[in-house]
Every structure is written in C-alpha cells, then in structure tokens.
Amino acid sequence: MNDRIKKLRDQSLNAINRLDAERALLVTNFYKSGIDSKVSTPVMRALTLNHILVNKFICINEDELIVGERGSAPKATPTYPEINLHSLEDLEILDSRHKVSFKVDEETKRIYREEIIPFWKGKSNRERIMRSMAPEWIEAYNAGIFTEFQEQRAPGHTVCGNKIYHKGMLDLMKEVRDAATQIDWKNDPLASIRNEELKAMEIAANAIILFAHRHADKLEELSDEPGNSQRKQELLEMATICRQVPAHAPRTFHEALQNYWFIHLGVITELNPWDSFNPGRLDQHLYPFYKKELEDGTLTKEKATELLQSFWIKFNNHPSPPKVGVTAQESNTYTDFCLINLGGVKPDGSDAVNEITFLILDVIEEMRLLQPGSMVQVSRVNPDNFIHRTLKITKTGFGQPSYFNTDAIVKELVRQGKSLEDARNGGASGCVEAGAFGTEAYILTGYFNLTKVLEITLNNGTDPLTGKKIGLETGPAELFRDFDDLMNAYSKQLKHFIDIKINGNNRIEQIFMEYMPVPFLSLLIDDCIANGKDYNAGGARYNTSYIQGVGLGSITDSLTALKYHVFDKKTISMSGMLKALSQNFIDFEELRFEFLYNTPKYGNDDDYADAQALSVFELFYAAVDGRPTARGGISRINFLPTTSHIYFGSVIQALPDGRKAKEPLSEGISPVQGADKKGPTAVLKSASKLDHLRTGGTLLNQKFTPSFFDDEESIEKMTALIRGYFRMNGHHIQFNVISATTLRDAQKHPEKYRDLIVRVAGYSDYFNDLGEDLQNEIIQRTEQGL
Amino acid sequence: MNKGLIFDIRRFTVHDGPGIRTTVFFKGCPLSCWWCHNPESHSCYPEESLKSLNLDGKKFSLKEMIGKWMSVEEVMSELRMDRIFYTESSGGVTFSGGEPLMQSEFLLELLKECKANNLHTTLDTSGYTDRGIIENIQPYADLFLYDLKLIDDTDHIRYTGVSNKPILENLIYLISEEKQVIIRIPVIPDITNTKKNIKAIIKFLSHLVNERKSASSIKISLLPYHSIAKNKYSRFHIDNKTMHLKDLTKESLIPLKNEFEAEGFTVRIGS
C-alpha cells in the first residue's frame, strides 16, 4: 500500500472508539420542536434524516479519497435514542468495560443527562416493544429460550443491489413521483398511507443529495487553503464527484464507490439497521466501470486499488453502534457484519469471476481489516484458481474470506419463491444469511435455544434454573416409555415456544410498520417505490423473517446420549440421568466419562448420532417454515449463532452429552467442541445430511493449522474439500487457520497479538476482544491432526 | 468369510498418495524397523491398550482395542464414505500398516472390490513378500509407495530384522512391469543416512534405468526422521531404539535431494 493508504489505515486502526452524541442531540431537538404532531410518521422520519444530514458536522480526513463519516470523526459512533435509550449507567459501562469499550466524555454524559434521557424516557422503541410483549414471551425471553434482534436495532438485514450504479437519486425521485400518480385514490384503502410514504421517500432522497453537496462545499473550501497543488486538484475532483453522486448515476469507478458510500451513510444514519448495510456483489457492480475506464485510459489498476483500499478503510471507521443494558458477552464486538461478496454467478448463471474479483482479493489480503468482512461465492461454474487464490489469504490466519456455495444459495432462494434471476443476483450477508440482493427484506428475528427446550422438556415444563414453570407439562421424563415419547414431548415443547416467538415477532413487525418506517432504505430496495410501501412494512419484493436455531451439535449429542444410555443400552435410568444432570455430574464422574468418550457423537459421519440432528432439524423446520408474518412476509429457519451459543449455554445446567452447567453450546451446525474425532471429511458428511436447501443459511466452522495450506498440493486438497462439501449442498464453510499454541500465547500476552483476528462464528473479530470463555472455546476446537 | 486385522482406518489422509484419501492400516508386520512410526502395528494379534485421561480431577482409563477383525464389506463401507472427496481431489484409498501384504488374501479381495467400485488404490508397502504374492496383487494396485531403506543386507537385517533380498527383487519386478511406484527413503541419521548407504541406493536405482525407463521416471520421496511416535512406544511398552535421535527438518534434506537429482531422479522431500 502507498503512503496515503498506510496513513489512513493507521488512522483507522488507532482511532479510539467513542460515543458521539451529535445525532442523538439533533434528533431530540428536532422532535422537541413538535413537528411530529403535524406530519405523518414516514414524513417525520424523512424530515428527521434531513435534519441530521443538513446539520451534522462534515468530516473530511486528511488525504482521503472517499469522503463521509457517520459521526464527527472515524469511529465516533452515534446513538439512536428513538430505538434504544442509553441510561447513564449504560454510558459508564461502555466507557469502562474492558472489552469493546466506547469512550464517553463528560460533555456527552451531560447531554444525555440533561437532554436525551429526559425526552426519550418511556418513548424509545425498545420500551415500546417490551411493553407490548405478552407475559409468556417475557418469561421465555428472560429464561434464555430466545433472543430478540429488533429490541435494540432496527430491522435491516438487506443488501444493496445493482440499481444505484445506473440510477441517481434524482431518477429515483422521479420514480417516486410517478408511483404517487399511480395511486388509486378511489379503490385503494391504503392510498393515503402510500402517498405519505412516497412523500417521505422523496424528502429522504433529497436529503442525501444535500448531504453530498455539503461535502462538495467543504472540499472546495479546503482546496482554497494553502497546501500542495496536487491535493488541491484532488479536492476539486472530489467536489465534482460529490455534485455528481448520488444525485446522478455514477460515471466512473471513483464515483461508483463514493456513491455507494453516501448511500451507506444514509442508511446507517436513518436508523441503526442490522448488518449496517452492504454493497453485496461488489466485483459485479464495479466491473463495468473498471473495464470502461481501463479502455479509455482514465484509470489504472494501481489507482483502482488505491480507491478500493480507501473504501475498505471507510467501513473500518464505522463500528457497530453500541447497545444498551449490555453485557460484554451479548455484544462484545465492533463488527457490523458487512460482508462483501465476490465471485458467484451472473444473472444468466454463468461464471461471474472477473479481474476485479482478484483485485479485491488482493485488497483484502493487504488491508487486513476487521471490516468490511468478505466472502467468496463458489459455484461449480467458477474456476479453481479463484478458490486457490482465496485459500492463500485464508492461510494467513486472518479468518477471511469465508466460503459460500452459490449453487446452494440459488436453490434455497428459488425454493422460497424468488425468481431465478433475483436468486442469482443474491448471495449471503451478515454471518451466513442467504438473500436476494436489492429485492429482499430478510430479517433475523432472534436466536433460538434448541437445547434449552430439551432441558425444559426433561423437567416437565419447568426451568430448573429458576424453578418457574414456563413451558408445557408434557409429562415427567421418568415416565417416557421410549425415545419416541421423549421426542414427542420435545416436539410439543418446541412448537409451544416457537409459537410464542412468532407471536412476538408479529407484534414487533407491527411496531416497526407503525412507528419506525425507513423511507431512505425503502428507496433502495425494490419494489418499495412501486408498492408505495415502506421497507419495514413489507414493501420489498420478498419479505422473510428468520429464526436462527442455535446449538444443533449440543442438542443432537444430548438426545443421542439419552437414546443410547437411557433407552437402548439402559446404562442408566432416566431418573438417574436427571439426578446426574442436576448435580452437575458431581459424584457421577464415571457416567460423565461414558457420555464424553463412549457415546456416539454428531460430526463423525455416524448415522446413529446424526439421526437426531435430522429429527431436530425437521421439527424446527415444521414449526417455523412457511408461517406468515405481520408485514406479509414468511417465516424461515437458518442455523447461525454469532456469539449467542455462549449466552445460551450460560442458562443451561449440565447436559446428557457430558457438557457441564453453563458451558457454551456448540455453534452453527459445527459439532460440539472436540466431539469430532474422524477428521474434516466426516464433519462435512455429518453436516451435509441436513437439508441445507430448506434453510436460509447454515454455519460450519473448521479449524486447521496453517500446514494444511502449505503448498500447491495442499491448496488443491483444501479446494477439493470445499468442492466436495458444496457438491453435497453445504451452504457455507469457514476456516480458522491458527495453532493452539499461538492462541494460548495470545491469551497470556494480548499485547503481542493486537492484530490477531480470528473467525468467531460467521464473522471475524480481534482475539483480544473476545471474552475468555470464547477464547478458550476457540482454542479447544479440535485441531485437525495431520 | 475372509477377515483382516485392521488397527485403524483414517479419513482425510493427505500424505499417503494423490488427493484426499482414506487409509486402511493393517496390523502385523514382518519387519521391526528401529524408527517405526506405528509400533503398535508390529504384532499380528489384537491388543488391548489403556489410555489414561484426566477428567474433573480424576484419572480415567479408556480401553482401546488395537486391531479389529473386519470383513471386506465392513472395510468397504468405510472406504465408500468419502467417495465424493476422492472424486473432487482425484484421491482414493491407501492400504498401509503394518504390512498389508502380510494379509495378502484379504488385501487382494479388498483391492478387487475397490477396483469394482472404481476407486484409485495405493499400496504402502515394505515390499517384503513372495514374488507370487506381488504378482497377484499388482494388477489391482494403481500406485505403490515402496520403502527402500538399506542396501547392505547385514545392515538391513540389523535395523529391520529381515533380509532385503525379496524387497529389492520385488521392486525390480514392479519397475519392469511399468507400475506406478514412488520409492520412499526414510532418512534416519546414522542408519539410512550414511554416505555408504546413499551411494549404494543411488547405484541400485541407476541399474533400474534403461532405454525404456528414464532416470526422471523414477520418483523418490525422502522422508525426514521425526519422533512423532515417541509416546506410542512408551504407551505400548515397546523399546524405542531411536530415542536419542533428533528430528530432521525438511530443509536439512536439501543436499541429499540434490545428490539424487544430480543422477536425474525425480525427488521430493516429504511424502
């Protein structure tokens, strides 16, 4: 990287994460003016965005080429009091906590104490949600049966498509006006709502143009200051770019990147949507600009690289907004889950790998930044050299990019009813979630603790941790005559809690529809404009709500141990088993040894154990898939944990698989940590017995020592491993390439490993920022022996 | 039905032939090389072994049977499990040991079954067997990983327990039959890695070269000594005569590689 990039990258790496009260203050003052009682909610939200964008501080960092910061400086992170209101105590925790801290200065605390908290107390969306939830939802939520994504952040979970590369905001405003003229005032009962929504979209589109123009003004101002003439020239060029985009469609590579970046800032300033926002298929979007400009001689490969590197730094400047009521465990990450997609297929199904794909891989390798995350889409039509190149980055132990099966993703999306072309324009975002980019709102609603439901089943509806009856009385476990009795009871209990979760989801969707429209995001995702409907109200072409199953390995091994020892081999009675679990295996150490070492386990390509994974999959699928949601969407399942398997483990006592109380559960569809003894192919075989095509994503983590990537021959073997898994419809695989010795040393000497990034569960994070238990878990994960 | 004594079947082996493979380890070996990595494979009988494990501050012992009598079908069902990965990697199955040729009837049945399933087969062998056996087996083995240790017969007997006569003859036979062979030379300090032995190996291999067989078609793998099996020796109470030897790095074998390459052979370090 050149000096400019090195400087900007250092600035980004060294910037202190801090809380920035500017947005909260602007929003609060705007609401205080009382305008909200005079206009509709969508219009109020659009005017709020406009108020922020025309008043916020314009930050232009020295020597940068892509401009725009969400806060007043890199890593100055705004808050969203209309969604979740930080208490003074929250601010103290954020400021002082050891991991993933956000510095909060006295002035910010004062603003919160005097302005923000008094105004928003009782009015934030989080409080609105919590007030609306049924008592059984609250009980299940408190017991750790499930989590709720929208409690602290707005639903986002979407990815930008191709539209912004050939349409400017002025074009979209025209579309909005056209849509408004199409409103059927006579027959459409929603006519006035549509009209308000479209009005709001137009205001939002105009706001982002004003925001860009303010940057242009500032750039011109800076160019008047004394300094070197080359930079002056640059500043003027950048000003021109900011007057072109996003008002008009981009014409050049540089404009395309700057255009996306303004739009990105618009989305993450409007609200705090999940996964921030994401350019998605970046190599596809940029290729036409790159090709044309190379031919015209207006761009070089070096210049394109520098611009991409600048773009990467921009993402890294924007940590995920801090939550409230935080525990380090539940939200200890700065990652905001942007996931750049590379490769895959074109809309006609042909190989989409191009020169930009490889150029971006170079950028990823050289920049080594936490954000944006990156992944490669691997289709059978993609060449092997694309995988080889990527594996060489994986080998460096950086944890990126991860590997996704395009052919499976397309089939998953088509099964859900998307057109083939929309499916091929899709990919994965967040951790592993499949989606149709530019056309789908695919909202994650919460993690679901599949294993906790077993614990409650074994205790006849009571949570042994609290003694509260929160589930159904499915009968005392001691009276189950056979394994089928147990599974029937589990099935009823699972359905019971899924019903509670889905009822809650529907209520929360209604709240967002009514109170928190996002007119700016709605401009970007088709067909919100044509439908005259907000993104949060089901305006997108496709609307999906996911529940994420967690702990598949743990529930599978627990059920298998029950089947094997209680019902098949009868090594122990059910009451003996329950006693051992309630005593956390104290005085039952020999039994625990049997459970750990002499019991079939998921992840070894052993049908006896894997059968339980399939049963749980089917029950979960049947309970969720296809159920309609409030905004006109459909409920679906996927399997990913982020870090929730640690939280979910902490609310469960000992399990029949030999896991002791409060230890983490397994993550994604990976086997229980250390349970896989037959090597990676057996893990992949076990995992592929699940029907990935009926999910919206699964996460599989495999740890390898760097030696598996040593030479060309090893790289080819790893390629074959990926290809083999994908041939069996595996959705995703990621590699943690690191030695356990290194990790232990990093635990002892964090100061020496400040740049150590590991893949946690679908995303990468700094090892130092992980909690000790998560660090231990990563160390323990079976290293595949040679 | 014919059964074989197998002490391990390992999947995703990446050092026993091309691609991703499953390796079947036969128990029983006529040789007893000082540096053997699999000392538990020497005896021709199943053995019970206790593995000591700590859990919750208590000591537990895990009983393991080293060696299990398995039918051809039982082995085949394991071998079929990773077919998709063999396909993707141009891999297959490898028979190793111990010495698979010691259970030649069982091996032959397995090899035939593999070929009937269109699996690539590799035989990792010391070559210590009768000519008749190797003649029967070779049509079903696609690749031989063939150990060549010591040329001096007295030394060979001293360090491996058997004469190298059949080994050298069988190697000449396989080469003359134009079989795919990779000659593996375990590089053991002061034992195989002596000036005298290396010279003798080069001389022996040079005799295999003729108009039909170029030197470069002779493929050699130099395997650096490492003490990875140290724990196994103590676990199985077997006397380890190479305890004192230090591990060799790949880099330290470069001069040796150059020496073989100077003769025109195709050489690589490591398996």
Side-chain angles (χ1 to χ4, degrees):
Chain A
M1 65 189 88
N2 62 27
D3 288 346
R4 180 210 303 268
I5 297 300
K6 197 172 175 310
K7 178 173 151 188
L8 290 167
R9 182 176 179 273
D10 283 348
Q11 182 190 30
S12 184
L13 287 172
N14 296 329
I16 307 279
N17 290 277
R18 66 178 174 87
L19 217 115
D20 188 339
E22 185 187 36
R23 182 191 181 281
L25 197 57
L26 285 169
V27 171
T28 305
N29 288 337
F30 192 63
Y31 269 80
K32 271 185 184 168
S33 68
I35 297 174
D36 59 328
S37 62
K38 296 177 195 129
V39 296
S40 67
T41 307
V43 168
M44 182 62 194
R45 292 306 307 165
L47 290 172
T48 305
L49 177 68
N50 184 73
H51 184 72
I52 301 168
L53 294 181
V54 300
N55 288 295
K56 83 172 283 297
F57 176 77
I58 299 291
C59 166
I60 288 165
N61 298 302
E62 211 175 300
D63 282 345
E64 71 180 353
L65 294 169
I66 310 276
V67 294
E69 294 286 340
R70 173 180 55 177
S72 51
K75 294 193 178 167
T77 310
T79 52
Y80 304 77
E82 65 269 51
I83 292 290
N84 64 343
L85 178 63
H86 289 80
S87 67
L88 290 174
E89 193 192 353
D90 290 334
L91 299 183
E92 291 298 336
I93 294 173
L94 287 173
D95 187 46
S96 60
R97 72 178 176 190
H98 184 53
K99 308 264 180 191
V100 196
S101 69
F102 284 85
K103 292 295 148 204
V104 186
D105 60 22
E106 288 309 314
E107 176 62 5
T108 302
K109 286 179 198 163
R110 187 196 61 79
I111 293 170
Y112 254 79
R113 193 170 52 239
E114 292 173 10
E115 310 276 343
I116 315 288
I117 295 174
F119 183 78
W120 289 103
K121 190 131 186 67
K123 283 190 267 190
S124 76
N125 208 53
R126 178 167 193 258
E127 290 160 291
R128 191 178 285 131
I129 287 172
M130 289 308 183
R131 276 197 302 269
S132 314
M133 293 294 107
E136 63 267 23
W137 187 96
I138 299 281
E139 277 190 332
Y141 174 83
N142 287 337
I145 304 276
F146 48 70
T147 65
E148 175 49 57
F149 267 64
Q150 271 60 249
E151 163 234 347
Q152 303 215 11
R153 290 184 74 172
H157 296 113
T158 193
V159 174
C160 201
N162 191 256
K163 151 164 111 176
I164 64 160
Y165 300 89
H166 51 93
K167 283 179 191 170
M169 282 294 149
L170 293 170
D171 301 313
L172 296 181
M173 284 161 83
K174 186 176 177 302
E175 283 182 18
V176 168
R177 285 193 295 273
D178 289 348
T181 63
Q182 300 294 311
I183 292 174
D184 182 353
W185 286 95
K186 272 189 194 146
N187 301 306
D188 184 356
L190 298 177
S192 68
I193 296 179
R194 286 188 218 283
N195 195 46
E196 289 304 312
E197 176 68 29
L198 290 168
K199 260 198 244 168
M201 288 187 202
E202 196 171 349
I203 295 165
N206 191 57
I208 201 76
I209 296 174
L210 297 178
F211 185 55
H213 287 175
R214 291 183 66 216
H215 283 82
D217 295 344
K218 180 99 178 242
L219 287 162
E220 283 158 6
E221 256 175 64
L222 288 170
S223 75
D224 283 342
E225 287 174 12
N228 81 53
S229 58
Q230 199 193 327
R231 179 62 183 163
K232 277 186 182 192
Q233 186 55 36
E234 260 175 20
L235 290 166
L236 288 174
E237 279 168 25
M238 287 156 67
T240 312
I241 289 170
C242 295
R243 297 204 189 279
Q244 170 71 19
V245 294
H248 310 276
R251 298 159 302 185
T252 65
F253 193 81
H254 194 159
E255 283 178 1
L257 289 171
Q258 181 66 64
N259 182 47
Y260 174 79
W261 189 248
F262 278 133
I263 283 167
H264 185 92
L265 291 178
V267 173
I268 65 174
T269 301
E270 179 174 50
L271 277 184
N272 60 351
W274 273 103
D275 303 350
S276 64
F277 193 56
N278 193 344
R281 306 280 300 275
L282 194 59
D283 55 348
Q284 305 309 299
H285 302 321
L286 294 179
Y287 185 63
F289 297 99
Y290 181 69
K291 195 162 175 272
K292 182 174 176 296
E293 275 197 273
L294 274 193
E295 279 166 14
D296 295 352
T298 53
L299 183 73
T300 61
K301 190 180 167 190
E302 290 66 35
K303 188 69 196 165
T305 302
E306 188 184 31
L307 287 166
L308 282 167
Q309 290 172 333
S310 306
F311 191 63
W312 247 245
I313 290 164
K314 277 292 166 193
F315 282 92
N316 201 63
N317 284 351
H318 292 76
S320 82
K323 295 186 188 168
V324 304
V326 276
T327 66
Q329 249 177 15
E330 278 168 287
S331 74
N332 55 347
T333 183
Y334 291 125
T335 300
D336 212 6
F337 304 100
C338 273
L339 193 63
I340 305 280
N341 283 227
L342 299 173
V345 296
K346 295 181 192 169
D348 65 1
S350 61
D351 175 17
V353 171
N354 58 42
E355 294 106 275
I356 287 279
T357 316
F358 289 101
L359 196 65
I360 292 178
L361 286 169
D362 291 343
V363 168
I364 291 165
E365 187 172 36
E366 203 182 353
M367 296 310 283
R368 257 185 117 77
L369 290 171
L370 191 58
Q371 294 189 88
S374 57
M375 65 87 119
V376 290
Q377 284 198 30
V378 177
S379 160
R380 67 195 68 203
V381 302
N382 295 137
D384 277 355
N385 69 353
F386 167 50
I387 308 178
H388 294 175
R389 172 70 190 95
T390 312
L391 280 168
K392 283 174 192 161
I393 304 177
T394 303
K395 190 201 166 178
T396 64
F398 166 47
Q400 292 184 26
S402 49
Y403 298 80
F404 282 82
N405 182 355
T406 304
D407 306 318
I409 287 174
V410 169
K411 284 180 192 160
E412 288 160 21
L413 295 176
V414 167
R415 184 197 77 85
Q416 296 176 350
K418 278 115 188 162
S419 77
L420 187 57
E421 185 172 327
D422 286 342
R424 284 170 172 163
N425 280 327
S429 61
C431 289
V432 297
E433 302 90 281
F437 295 173
T439 52
E440 185 179 12
Y442 46 115
I443 289 156
L444 302 195
T445 68
Y447 300 113
F448 191 88
N449 197 341
L450 294 165
T451 319
K452 181 78 188 173
V453 176
L454 175 64
E455 186 176 55
I456 285 168
T457 309
L458 291 175
N459 290 281
N460 196 16
T462 300
D463 179 358
L465 225 67
T466 58
K468 274 191 195 167
K469 177 138 292 183
I470 60 167
L472 297 177
E473 288 191 16
T474 48
E478 294 89 335
L479 298 184
F480 295 149
R481 287 156 305 175
D482 51 26
F483 187 64
D484 285 348
D485 274 2
L486 168 63
M487 287 308 287
N488 284 334
Y490 179 76
S491 168
K492 281 181 200 150
Q493 207 69 255
L494 180 72
K495 179 92 170 49
H496 169 73
F497 286 115
I498 293 286
D499 286 348
I500 293 174
K501 175 66 178 155
I502 287 185
N503 283 339
N505 285 356
N506 286 332
R507 183 70 197 106
I508 293 167
E509 281 191 11
Q510 285 163 350
I511 289 173
F512 274 95
M513 285 167 77
E514 195 177 338
Y515 296 99
M516 284 294 155
V518 277
F520 185 72
L521 178 58
S522 303
L523 285 161
L524 307 169
I525 303 299
D526 291 333
D527 303 312
C528 294
I529 297 176
N531 291 334
K533 225 178 188 184
D534 192 79
Y535 176 87
N536 282 350
R541 189 174 304 162
Y542 309 108
N543 293 281
T544 314
S545 294
Y546 282 102
I547 298 178
Q548 301 93 251
V550 173
L552 189 70
S554 296
I555 176 76
T556 298
D557 287 357
S558 295
L559 286 170
T560 301
L562 287 163
K563 179 174 158 62
Y564 189 78
H565 290 292
V566 176
F567 297 109
D568 289 0
K569 299 258 171 185
K570 302 192 171 28
T571 26
I572 186 166
S573 66
M574 183 64 92
S575 56
M577 172 69 90
L578 295 178
K579 187 154 183 255
L581 298 181
S582 69
Q583 288 181 209
N584 201 17
F585 295 113
I586 290 166
D587 300 330
F588 288 90
E589 287 82 4
E590 274 169 44
L591 195 67
R592 178 166 183 242
F593 187 84
E594 282 298 301
F595 292 170
L596 284 174
Y597 290 99
N598 287 320
T599 309
K601 303 276 185 190
Y602 168 74
N604 296 290
D605 200 3
D606 173 353
D607 285 339
Y608 185 95
D610 297 346
Q612 278 63 253
L614 298 193
S615 301
V616 172
F617 177 95
E618 291 302 338
L619 293 175
F620 184 44
Y621 176 83
V624 176
D625 189 84
R627 294 176 68 171
T629 80
R631 69 188 208 282
I634 298 174
S635 302
R636 307 282 186 198
I637 61 165
N638 53 16
F639 290 88
L640 63 114
T642 316
T643 59
S644 68
H645 59 299
I646 296 196
Y647 163 59
F648 279 170
S650 75
V651 298
I652 302 180
Q653 61 168 5
L655 283 172
D657 72 341
R659 169 197 155 282
K660 295 193 97 176
K662 315 217 172 199
E663 286 181 0
L665 301 176
S666 63
E667 48 85 34
I669 58 165
S670 309
V672 166
Q673 296 76 354
D676 49 318
K677 303 282 187 200
K678 290 206 154 182
T681 56
V683 173
L684 302 187
K685 285 286 301 295
S686 281
S688 68
K689 289 173 193 173
L690 305 167
D691 187 356
H692 295 232
L693 301 184
R694 282 187 287 146
T695 74
T698 60
L699 180 145
L700 182 67
N701 201 338
Q702 277 280 287
K703 193 169 153 213
F704 285 92
T705 52
S707 54
F708 278 89
F709 305 80
D710 261 356
D711 47 23
E712 293 300 321
E713 220 178 296
S714 318
I715 294 278
E716 275 172 26
K717 287 174 187 180
M718 294 308 287
T719 302
L721 198 67
I722 296 169
R723 292 276 199 200
Y725 185 51
F726 286 1
R727 251 174 107 139
M728 298 185 290
N729 291 331
H731 174 89
H732 153 275
I733 185 167
Q734 67 188 31
F735 302 108
N736 254 337
V737 180
I738 200 80
S739 74
T741 325
T742 309
L743 293 175
R744 278 193 205 96
D745 196 47
Q747 254 183 334
K748 273 187 220 140
H749 308 285
E751 72 283 0
K752 286 198 287 182
Y753 294 92
R754 283 175 51 214
D755 64 337
L756 179 60
I757 296 175
V758 290
R759 240 182 141 71
V760 182
Y763 69 98
S764 298
D765 212 334
Y766 290 109
F767 188 71
N768 281 342
D769 281 340
L770 303 175
E772 200 189 350
D773 43 3
L774 190 53
Q775 288 182 342
N776 286 336
E777 185 207 316
I778 288 177
I779 293 173
Q780 271 167 23
R781 183 174 300 289
T782 324
E783 275 188 21
Q784 310 298 329
L786 275 163
Chain B
M1 196 170 180
N2 205 353
K3 287 202 171 192
L5 186 63
I6 304 301
F7 80 89
D8 201 3
I9 298 180
R10 293 194 71 179
R11 294 162 67 172
F12 195 65
T13 51
V14 291
H15 296 293
D16 299 328
I20 294 172
R21 314 190 71 81
T22 298
T23 302
V24 182
F25 292 90
F26 285 59
K27 191 156 157 53
C29 187
L31 278 68
S32 47
C33 307
W34 285 23
W35 55 85
C36 183
H37 289 165
N38 291 325
E40 74 274 33
S41 72
H42 290 176
S43 119
C44 305
Y45 304 97
E47 292 163 277
E48 203 178 279
S49 144
L50 291 177
K51 203 177 192 172
S52 164
L53 290 163
N54 278 319
L55 186 68
D56 300 332
K58 288 193 179 179
K59 264 217 158 116
F60 288 88
S61 47
L62 189 63
K63 210 191 281 178
E64 271 184 345
M65 280 311 283
I66 310 293
K68 191 175 146 195
W69 290 102
M70 294 180 81
S71 69
V72 170
E73 191 37 49
E74 280 171 322
V75 176
M76 284 308 299
S77 72
E78 286 273 332
L79 296 183
R80 277 191 283 261
M81 287 187 145
D82 276 349
R83 272 192 300 194
I84 198 150
F85 298 104
Y86 311 153
T87 309
E88 285 295 342
S89 66
S90 304
V93 303
T94 297
F95 299 102
S96 181
E99 174 50 66
L101 289 169
M102 237 189 140
Q103 303 181 53
S104 62
E105 281 177 42
F106 181 71
L107 175 66
L108 185 60
E109 269 188 59
L110 264 179
L111 282 168
K112 283 183 178 171
E113 201 55 35
C114 286
K115 291 324 290 177
N117 280 279
N118 203 22
L119 300 178
H120 179 274
T121 56
T122 294
L123 185 58
D124 179 11
T125 178
S126 69
Y128 187 78
T129 193
D130 296 341
R131 166 65 70 86
I133 288 177
I134 205 109
E135 282 178 3
N136 284 338
I137 292 279
Q138 63 89 355
Y140 304 98
D142 297 312
L143 171 68
F144 284 83
L145 304 176
Y146 202 103
D147 271 21
L148 189 57
K149 298 164 181 127
L150 290 150
I151 298 295
D152 181 276
D153 203 25
T154 319
D155 286 347
H156 201 275
I157 292 168
R158 177 169 176 216
Y159 290 111
T160 74
V162 301
S163 163
N164 65 13
K165 247 182 143 170
I167 296 174
L168 300 180
E169 281 170 10
N170 286 335
L171 178 56
I172 293 168
Y173 163 74
L174 289 175
I175 300 272
S176 71
E177 289 293 312
E178 311 220 343
K179 293 301 294 185
Q180 290 287 324
V181 180
I182 295 173
I183 295 164
R184 292 180 150 194
I185 303 173
V187 182
I188 318 297
D190 306 328
I191 302 179
T192 64
N193 195 16
T194 63
K195 269 201 173 141
K196 180 186 128 194
N197 187 46
I198 298 299
K199 229 173 135 185
I201 289 177
I202 289 175
K203 192 173 162 203
F204 171 79
L205 293 177
S206 304
H207 282 307
L208 299 175
V209 177
N210 53 37
E211 307 88 62
R212 285 191 303 140
K213 188 89 193 157
S214 66
S216 66
S217 72
I218 294 190
K219 293 180 189 152
I220 298 168
S221 284
L222 300 173
L223 309 180
Y225 171 78
H226 56 85
S227 55
I228 199 165
K230 222 193 260 170
N231 288 337
K232 284 200 207 168
Y233 276 91
S234 49
R235 218 179 113 204
F236 294 98
H237 311 292
I238 301 169
D239 185 26
N240 183 355
K241 295 183 204 161
T242 52
M243 266 291 260
H244 61 287
L245 295 182
K246 282 222 169 85
D247 287 10
L248 295 177
T249 62
K250 279 188 165 186
E251 293 69 38
S252 69
L253 264 54
I254 291 170
L256 195 60
K257 178 172 184 262
N258 294 340
E259 209 176 325
F260 279 96
E261 277 176 345
E263 302 297 323
F265 302 125
T266 304
V267 192
R268 60 180 286 170
I269 299 172
S271 45

